[in-house]
C-alpha cells in the first residue's frame, strides 16, 4: 500500500493530465524519461505507471470528454483516487483488437433514457484488478435507428466505474510471475446510459479515432521507454560487471565473446534511445503516426529483448539466480510481455506495418483508389482523377527506379573508398550515413511500388511484408540515430557507437531487401523480382556494400562501456541510483567500476615497474578486491517455499535417502 499511496500522492498516474484538472501536464518526453528510469529498477512499476499515462482514458477524456465527464473524472484520475484501465482485447480479438469480437452493444431506450445494452468479455487488461474506472471498447449497433444521426454505429468507448451494475472486475492473470496488475473485465446485459459514453452520444462510433491516438502513445512511447530503460541498465550494470568480474585473472571485458555481446547490446541501446527520443518529439508535436508507432513498438521491444539476452549471457550465473542481487532477471522475464502486448510483434511485423502504411503513405495511390469509389453521378471527375493519379503513380515509380540505381552506385563507391576511421569526423559521419539512408529509402520505395502488383493478395504475403517492415524499421531508426548524434555530438566515443549502430542498421536493411528480391511472390513475382534486383542491386554483390562492424570497432565500443568514459555516462543518465549504503546491486556495480579500474591500473604499473605497492596503493587494491568479492556473490536461501519454512520440514529427496539408508547395515562410508 505504501508504494500505491506514493504513486498516488506524487501524481504518477496523472502525468499527462492537464494542470487545470489537477494533473502535472508533462510532455511526452518527460513521461518517457520517467518510465525509462522506472524500468532501470522495476519493470512492474514501469507497467503500472505507463498505462494511466498512455492507454488509460485520462488524455482521451481531456480531449473528447463531455464537460461533466471531465469535471468528475479528471481530478480523480489526476490525484489517483481512481486508477484507470482500458478494456479492448478479448478472447477472440487479440492483436486484431479493433475487431471487437464478443464486445457488442445495442442502442435501446429505457424509461425515456437513451443508452446501450452491452455484453463484453475482456482479458489481458493491465490494472483491471485494481482499477476504479475502465474505458471499454464496444461495437455499437443501432438497428432501430434511435441515434437519429447524432452519433454513428461502430467502435465506441464507454466509461464505467468499478461498482457499475453488471460489471465484473478483480480476477487476475499472472504474466510470467510479473507483479503488475493484469486481469479481466466482463459483463452481460450491462445497461450503459449515453452520458457514460466517452464524449457523449455525439462520439458514438468515434472510438477508432480515440484508439489511434491512445495506441500511438502506448505502442510508440510507453513500451519503447521500457526498452530504453533496459538498455541503460544493461550498458551501465553489465558493462561494469564485465570489468569487475575476472576469470583466469583477467576481466571478462577483455574476452572477445563478451566484447561482441556488449557492443551489440550497446549499439542496440543507442538505437532504442535515439528512436524513443525522436518518437517522443513527434508525439509532442501533436502527431499520432500509427505506422511509425508500430515500427517503434516492434523494433524497440525486440531490440530490448536482445539487449537483455546479451546482458544475461554476460552476467551468466549471477543473472539466473533470483534474489536482491539479481538486477537483470526481472527484465529478462518482462521483455517478452512487452513484445506480446499492444499487438504481438510477430503480427505487427508481418502484417500491420506494411499493411497499414503501404497505401496511406504513398503520395498518390490513396487518391487513385478513392476515385474508383466515387458515385456514378461523378463518373467524369472520377475518370479524370484516376487518369491523373495513375500517371503520377507510374512517374513516381519510375523516379524511384532511377534514384534506386543512381544512389546505389554512388553509395557503393562511397562505401568502398571510405576509410575505416572516417567516422571520427562527425560531419563526415553524418554525411556518409545520410547518403546510405537515402539510397536505402529509394530501394524501399521501389519495392513498395512493386508490391502494388500483388493487389489484394498483398495482405496474405506476410513473409514479404515482414521483410519490408524490417527494412523500413532499420531506415527509420537509422535517421533517428543520426538525429540523436546531431543533438548530442561532443560526447567522447559517441562517433564510434553511432558508426557501429549505423553499420548494423544498414546491413539489416540491405539483407531484408535482398531476401525480398529473392522471394517476391505473386503471378508477376518473377518480373517484380528482376526489376527489384536491377533497381536495388544493379551490379549484384558489388552493390551490396554493407557489412557488420569491424572487430576493432567492436573492441572499442566494449572498452568505452566497461571503463569510465563520457559514452558510458550517456547510458548512466536516467538510471536509478540507490542511496549510498543501500543494498542495490546495480548502483553498487556502477559505483565500484572506477575503483576497480584504478586498482587494475595500479597492478599493471606494479608489474611493469617490478616493484611493491605503496601503502596507499595497497589500500586501493584491497578495496577493489573486497568490492569484487562482494559484487560477484549471488543470493542463497535457507528456505524458498512456505513448506520449507515449516518446523521439522525435510525435503522429500532427503526423506527417501534416510529411508533407504535405514534399510542398510552400513549407514555411511565412515561406519565400520
Amino acid at each position: 500500500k505504501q508504494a500505491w499511496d506514493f504513486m498516488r500522492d506524487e501524481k504518477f498516474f496523472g502525468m499527462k493530465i492537464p494542470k487545470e484538472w489537477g494533473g502535472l501536464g508533462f510532455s511526452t518526453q518527460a513521461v518517457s524519461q520517467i518510465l525509462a528510469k522506472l524500468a532501470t529498477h522495476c519493470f512492474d512499476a514501469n507497467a503500472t505507471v505507463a498505462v494511466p499515462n498512455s492507454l488509460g482514458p485520462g488524455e482521451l477524456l481531456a480531449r473528447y470528454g463531455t464537460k461533466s465527464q471531465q469535471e468528475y473524472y479528471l481530478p480523480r484520475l489526476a490525484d489517483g483516487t481512481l486508477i484507470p484501465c482500458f478494456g479492448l482485447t478479448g478472447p477472440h480479438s487479440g492483436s486484431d483488437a479493433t475487431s471487437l469480437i464478443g464486445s457488442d452493444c445495442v442502442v435501446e431506450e429505457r424509461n425515456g433514457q437513451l443508452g446501450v445494452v452491452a455484453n463484453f468479455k475482456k482479458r489481458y487488461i493491465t490494472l483491471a484488478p485494481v482499477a476504479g474506472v475502465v474505458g471499454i471498447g464496444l461495437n455499437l449497433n443501432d438497428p432501430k435507428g434511435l441515434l437519429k444521426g447524432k452519433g454513428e454505429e461502430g467502435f465506441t468507448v464507454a466509461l464505467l466505474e468499478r461498482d457499475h451494475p453488471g460489471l465484473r472486475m478483480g480476477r487476475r492473470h499472472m504474466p510470467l510471475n510479473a507483479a503488475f496488475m493484469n486481469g479481466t473485465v466482463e459483463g452481460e446485459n450491462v445497461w450503459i446510459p449515453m452520458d457514460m459514453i466517452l464524449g457523449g452520444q455525439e462520439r458514438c462510433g468515434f472510438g477508432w479515432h480515440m484508439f489511434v491516438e491512445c495506441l500511438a502513445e502506448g505502442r510508440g512511447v510507453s513500451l519503447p521507454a521500457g526498452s530504453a530503460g533496459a538498455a541503460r541498465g544493461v550498458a551501465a550494470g553489465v558493462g561494469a560487471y564485465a570489468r569487475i568480474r575476472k576469470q583466469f585473472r583477467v576481466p571478462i571485458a577483455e574476452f572477445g565473446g563478451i566484447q561482441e555481446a556488449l557492443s551489440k547490446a550497446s549499439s542496440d541501446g543507442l538505437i532504442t534511445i535515439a528512436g524513443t527520443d525522436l518518437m517522443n518529439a513527434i508525439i509532442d508535436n501533436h502527431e499520432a503516426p500509427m505506422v511509425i508507432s508500430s515500427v517503434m513498438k516492434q523494433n524497440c521491444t525486440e531490440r530490448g529483448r536482445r539487449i537483455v539476452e546479451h546482458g544475461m549471457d554476460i552476467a551468466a550465473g549471477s543473472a539466473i539466480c533470483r534474489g536482491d542481487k539479481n538486477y537483470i532477471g526481472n527484465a529478462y522475464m518482462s521483455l517478452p510481455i512487452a513484445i506480446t502486448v499492444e499487438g504481438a510483434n510477430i503480427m505487427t511485423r508481418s502484417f500491420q506495418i506494411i499493411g497499414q502504411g503501404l497505401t496511406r503513405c504513398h503520395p498518390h495511390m490513396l487518391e487513385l483508389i478513392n476515385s474508383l469509389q466515387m458515385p456514378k453521378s461523378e463518373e467524369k471527375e472520377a475518370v479524370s482523377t484516376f487518369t491523373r493519379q495513375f500517371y503520377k503513380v507510374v512517374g513516381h515509380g519510375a523516379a524511384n527506379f532511377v534514384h534506386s540505381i543512381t544512389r546505389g552506385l554512388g553509395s557503393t563507391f562511397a562505401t568502398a573508398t571510405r576509410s575505416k576511421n572516417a567516422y571520427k569526423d562527425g560531419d563526415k559521419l553524418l554525411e556518409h550515413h545520410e547518403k546510405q539512408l537515402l539510397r536505402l529509402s529509394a530501394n524501399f520505395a521501389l519495392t513498395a511500388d512493386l508490391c502494388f502488383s500483388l493487389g489484394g493478395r498483398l495482405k496474405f504475403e506476410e513473409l514479404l511484408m515482414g521483410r519490408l517492415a524490417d527494412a523500413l524499421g532499420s531506415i527509420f531508426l537509422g535517421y533517428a540515430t543520426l538525429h540523436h548524434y546531431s543533438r548530442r555530438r561532443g560526447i567522447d566515443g559517441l562517433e564510434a557507437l553511432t558508426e557501429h549502430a549505423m553499420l548494423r542498421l544498414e546491413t539489416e536493411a540491405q539483407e531484408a531487401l535482398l531476401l525480398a528480391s529473392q522471394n517476391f511472390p505473386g503471378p508477376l513475382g518473377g518480373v517484380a523480382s528482376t526489376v527489384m534486383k536491377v533497381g536495388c542491386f544493379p551490379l549484384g554483390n558489388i552493390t551490396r556494400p554493407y557489412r557488420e562492424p569491424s572487430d576493432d570497432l567492436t573492441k572499442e565500443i566494449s572498452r568505452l562501456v566497461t571503463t569510465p568514459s563520457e559514452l558510458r555516462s550517456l547510458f548512466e543518465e536516467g538510471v536509478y541510483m540507490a542511496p549510498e549504503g543501500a543494498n542495490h546491486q546495480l548502483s553498487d556495480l556502477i559505483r565500484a567500476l572506477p575503483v576497480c579500474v584504478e586498482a587494475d591500473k595500479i597492478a599493471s604499473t606494479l608489474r611493469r615497474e617490478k616493484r611493491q605497492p605503496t601503502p596507499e596503493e595497497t589500500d586501493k587494491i584491497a578495496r577493489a578486491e573486497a568490492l569484487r568479492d562482494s559484487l560477484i556473490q549471488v543470493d542463497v536461501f535457507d528456505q524458498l517455499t512456505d513448506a520449507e519454512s515449516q518446523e521439522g520440514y525435510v525435503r522429500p529427496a532427503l526423506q527417501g535417502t534416510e529411508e533407504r539408508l535405514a534399510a542398510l547395515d552400513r549407514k555411511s562410508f565412515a561406519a565400520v
Side-chain angles (χ1 to χ4, degrees):
K1 185 175 182 298
Q2 182 181 6
W4 287 99
D5 286 345
F6 179 83
M7 289 188 286
R8 283 173 152 137
D9 294 342
E10 299 299 326
K11 298 190 176 181
F12 274 84
F13 299 136
M15 292 190 289
K16 291 288 285 183
I17 294 175
K19 291 181 179 179
E20 57 263 35
W21 297 110
L24 297 176
F26 282 178
S27 67
T28 302
Q29 174 70 356
V31 173
S32 175
Q33 294 298 310
I34 291 167
L35 293 175
K37 186 166 187 174
L38 287 171
T40 67
H41 179 63
C42 177
F43 262 86
D44 293 317
N46 165 276
T48 299
V49 173
V51 167
N53 292 287
S54 59
L55 298 176
E59 195 168 6
L60 295 180
L61 274 164
R63 294 186 188 183
Y64 303 113
T66 64
K67 185 177 180 181
S68 60
Q69 288 172 347
Q70 292 173 338
E71 290 175 346
Y72 179 80
Y73 284 112
L74 287 176
R76 290 166 171 79
L77 292 171
D79 66 13
T81 298
L82 293 177
I83 295 171
C85 69
F86 198 90
L88 189 64
T89 305
H92 301 288
S93 54
S95 295
D96 184 24
T98 54
S99 66
L100 297 171
I101 298 172
S103 298
D104 299 303
C105 65
V106 178
V107 180
E108 290 189 6
E109 186 174 357
R110 292 185 179 181
N111 301 320
Q113 183 182 28
L114 203 62
V116 299
V117 176
N119 294 277
F120 47 87
K121 193 172 186 179
K122 307 290 187 178
R123 66 180 183 180
Y124 307 152
I125 311 303
T126 299
L127 295 186
V130 296
V133 60
V134 55
I136 300 181
L138 300 168
N139 184 27
L140 184 144
N141 293 284
D142 183 25
K144 299 179 182 178
L146 298 176
L147 292 177
K148 297 179 180 179
K150 191 177 179 182
E152 301 175 355
E153 293 184 323
F155 189 170
T156 301
V157 179
L159 290 172
L160 303 180
E161 292 185 85
R162 191 177 188 86
D163 60 355
H164 190 91
L167 177 65
R168 297 194 305 277
M169 299 169 64
R171 300 173 69 196
R172 288 186 67 178
H173 299 301
M174 190 178 181
L176 291 180
N177 283 341
F180 72 88
M181 293 289 171
N182 185 277
T184 60
V185 178
E186 300 176 342
E188 290 90 29
N189 297 319
V190 179
W191 168 250
I192 305 174
M194 277 296 169
D195 62 3
M196 293 185 182
I197 299 298
L198 201 160
Q201 183 178 338
E202 294 85 352
R203 294 294 183 181
C204 285
F206 197 74
W208 170 249
H209 299 276
M210 299 180 185
F211 174 75
V212 167
E213 294 186 15
C214 187
L215 202 62
E217 295 244 359
R219 292 166 65 87
V221 177
S222 297
L223 292 168
S227 294
R232 294 186 184 278
V234 168
V238 178
Y241 179 85
R243 183 61 57 182
I244 292 167
R245 175 66 164 158
K246 287 187 175 183
Q247 292 285 273
F248 310 106
R249 300 182 181 179
V250 178
I252 63 172
E254 299 299 323
F255 299 164
I258 300 295
Q259 292 168 344
E260 182 179 27
L262 200 49
S263 66
K264 287 182 177 179
S266 299
S267 59
D268 272 333
L270 175 67
I271 292 166
T272 302
I273 292 168
T276 297
D277 287 348
L278 182 57
M279 186 66 190
N280 294 342
I282 292 171
I283 298 295
D284 277 332
N285 199 40
H286 309 295
E287 302 286 347
M290 279 295 289
V291 174
I292 296 302
S293 68
S294 296
V295 167
M296 282 294 296
K297 189 271 176 180
Q298 185 261 323
N299 262 273
C300 290
T301 54
E302 178 57 39
R303 291 182 194 277
R305 172 162 63 178
R306 296 201 310 236
I307 289 166
V308 173
E309 286 175 349
H310 287 313
M312 292 287 292
D313 289 345
I314 295 167
S318 65
I320 63 172
C321 291
R322 301 300 306 277
D324 292 339
K325 287 184 173 292
N326 191 323
Y327 58 95
I328 193 173
N330 284 337
Y332 180 71
M333 289 191 290
S334 296
L335 258 302
I337 301 173
I339 281 169
T340 300
V341 300
E342 305 308 322
N345 276 8
I346 198 166
M347 188 279 296
T348 301
R349 172 184 174 271
S350 62
F351 181 77
Q352 276 191 350
I353 292 173
I354 301 302
Q356 290 178 339
L358 186 64
T359 300
R360 293 188 173 275
C361 294
H362 194 284
H364 311 298
M365 184 59 70
L366 187 60
E367 193 172 346
L368 182 147
I369 293 174
N370 289 338
S371 71
L372 297 174
Q373 301 173 336
M374 295 175 70
K376 185 77 172 177
S377 59
E378 301 177 21
E379 183 176 354
K380 185 176 181 179
E381 182 182 351
V383 171
S384 175
T385 300
F386 178 87
T387 303
R388 183 176 63 253
Q389 294 305 120
F390 176 78
Y391 283 117
K392 286 184 178 181
V393 168
V394 173
H396 180 73
N400 286 334
F401 182 75
V402 173
H403 288 153
S404 188
I405 292 176
T406 56
R407 291 175 185 174
L409 294 172
S411 65
T412 297
F413 178 78
T415 301
T417 58
R418 184 176 183 243
S419 165
K420 68 177 183 179
N421 293 320
Y423 69 85
K424 295 182 179 180
D425 183 324
D427 292 333
K428 291 183 178 179
L429 171 75
L430 288 170
E431 180 184 7
H432 173 78
H433 288 296
E434 186 173 358
K435 287 181 178 178
Q436 308 317 306
L437 292 178
L438 283 170
R439 176 259 175 98
L440 290 167
S441 296
N443 294 163
F444 177 83
L446 170 63
T447 307
D449 287 338
L450 292 171
C451 286
F452 288 115
S453 68
L454 292 166
R457 180 175 172 174
L458 175 65
K459 63 184 178 181
F460 301 107
E461 299 295 348
E462 296 183 21
L463 293 175
L464 174 65
M465 289 196 289
R467 288 161 185 150
L468 295 187
D470 291 341
L472 178 61
S474 296
I475 294 168
F476 172 77
L477 290 171
Y479 278 113
T481 302
L482 294 184
H483 179 255
H484 178 273
Y485 174 76
S486 69
R487 291 174 52 250
R488 301 299 301 270
R489 64 187 301 178
I491 296 173
D492 185 33
L494 186 56
E495 287 83 7
L497 186 58
T498 301
E499 172 80 355
H500 195 281
M502 292 304 301
L503 291 175
R504 293 182 65 212
L505 288 168
E506 288 157 7
T507 302
E508 288 174 10
Q510 174 182 267
E511 292 306 307
L513 291 168
L514 176 61
L515 286 171
S517 71
Q518 293 171 338
N519 297 276
F520 208 98
L524 298 176
V527 176
S529 176
T530 300
V531 173
M532 187 180 172
K533 288 176 180 177
V534 172
C536 296
F537 315 113
L539 300 180
N541 288 336
I542 296 175
T543 40
R544 292 197 289 273
Y546 306 127
R547 301 292 183 269
E548 290 289 323
S550 68
D551 289 351
D552 288 341
L553 187 57
T554 290
K555 292 175 182 178
E556 175 65 5
I557 299 304
S558 179
R559 182 189 67 80
L560 288 166
V561 295
T562 60
T563 56
S565 67
E566 292 181 15
L567 183 65
R568 181 176 166 78
S569 296
L570 172 68
F571 282 110
E572 290 178 357
E573 292 175 4
V575 173
Y576 171 74
M577 294 292 287
E580 291 269 8
N583 181 22
H584 189 251
Q585 185 78 351
L586 180 57
S587 302
D588 293 342
L589 284 166
I590 293 171
R591 291 183 177 125
L593 178 62
V595 178
C596 294
V597 168
E598 184 181 9
D600 285 346
K601 288 180 179 178
I602 292 171
S604 178
T605 300
L606 293 176
R607 288 192 299 270
R608 186 174 61 254
E609 297 178 356
K610 298 180 180 180
R611 64 174 176 85
Q612 295 299 310
T614 65
E616 182 182 0
E617 290 172 335
T618 299
D619 289 343
K620 288 182 178 180
I621 292 173
R623 184 187 175 205
E625 291 306 311
L627 286 170
R628 278 195 168 96
D629 184 66
S630 173
L631 290 170
I632 66 170
Q633 302 302 321
V634 298
D635 294 283
V636 62
F637 306 91
D638 292 322
Q639 302 96 21
L640 272 176
T641 65
D642 291 339
E644 287 182 324
S645 63
Q646 299 299 315
E647 185 176 354
Y649 175 83
V650 178
R651 294 186 175 99
L654 292 177
Q655 290 179 11
T657 300
E658 292 175 0
E659 291 169 358
R660 289 169 182 267
L661 286 173
L664 299 175
D665 294 332
R666 189 175 177 181
K667 309 301 182 185
S668 70
F669 180 77
V672 179

